[in-house]
Amino acid sequence: MVDKGVCVEIELARHDWAGLRSFADSTALPDAIRALVGATDKESARSAYWCIDNVALLDGCLTQSAAAVTSTVVQALSRLSTPSLAYALELLAQISGGYVHEPAEQGLGPISVEECVREISLTFPFLCELLETSSNSQIRASCVDLITACGRYERALKERARHVLSSALELPEMQSHRELIVNSLRDLE
């Protein structure tokens, strides 16, 4: 079996972290991502999440580094522990629901929500599987948000996202997320 830390190293190396604009020192992001990927408990995962969040996005405002964070976290999703996966998906949900300070070319760097969601959409089948099979409420809620974002920004996934979310409403274990799903379906109309 491949070490889960190895699966992100190639993607980490693809980015010029020092050259990416962010709210703080973006060179801290690779270690924070490694910490998130390697976390096996909730506290470690939460700590890594906040290290990333406070640099790449703040209160939903995306920076240039958010795109690199997105592609790297997406690369590792299938190999994460449950606590790490819950925070990784929450991070991606925050990014997919974020906004860009205008003009994007100044200050926080060129970035778009669409660019980030394009990377997230590569995991669409995995998100659908997690929505149906995970027993973790935080994971399920993030999957609803991410499936919705994929449907909103990726035209080819809109009908599929609607079908998945409509079908999820029929699952007894999804009743605690009913309001979130109904609101998400409205967003996809």
Side-chain angles (χ1 to χ4, degrees), residues 2 29 56 65 78 82 88 95 98 100 160 166 184 188:
V2 176
L29 288 169
S65 65
S78 67
T82 298
I95 291 169
V100 176
R160 191 169 168 191
S166 295
S184 295
L188 293 173

Side-chain angles (χ1 to χ4, degrees), residues 127-145:
L127 296 171
C128 294
E129 179 184 340
L130 285 173
L131 180 64
E132 188 175 348
T133 63
S134 179
S135 60
N136 183 294
S137 181
Q138 183 181 352
I139 288 174
R140 282 189 159 163
S142 292
C143 285
V144 169
D145 290 341

Side-chain angles (χ1 to χ4, degrees), residues 51-124:
C51 287
I52 297 166
D53 184 90
N54 289 330
V55 174
L57 64 150
L58 193 58
D59 296 329
C61 183
L62 302 181
T63 68
Q64 184 181 22
S65 65
V69 167
T70 300
S71 67
T72 308
V73 171
V74 160
Q75 183 73 30
L77 281 181
S78 67
R79 298 185 177 272
L80 302 181
S81 68
T82 298
S84 181
L85 181 61
Y87 280 97
L89 292 171
E90 174 64 23
L91 178 67
L92 294 175
Q94 291 298 318
I95 291 169
S96 73
Y99 69 95
V100 176
H101 189 274
E102 299 295 335
E105 297 77 29
Q106 297 176 4
L108 301 176
I111 181 69
S112 72
V113 175
E114 293 85 354
E115 176 184 3
C116 295
V117 174
R118 194 172 311 114
E119 287 292 329
I120 293 167
S121 72
L122 298 173
T123 69
F124 191 86

Side-chain angles (χ1 to χ4, degrees), residues 128-173:
C128 294
E129 179 184 340
L130 285 173
L131 180 64
E132 188 175 348
T133 63
S134 179
S135 60
N136 183 294
S137 181
Q138 183 181 352
I139 288 174
R140 282 189 159 163
S142 292
C143 285
V144 169
D145 290 341
L146 291 167
I147 289 167
T148 303
C150 289
R152 188 179 313 125
Y153 289 102
E154 296 294 323
R155 288 182 34 214
L157 292 175
K158 184 174 184 175
E159 287 306 314
R160 191 169 168 191
R162 290 176 58 161
H163 174 76
V164 167
L165 295 175
S166 295
S167 297
L169 281 174
E170 306 301 319
L171 299 173
E173 58 273 15

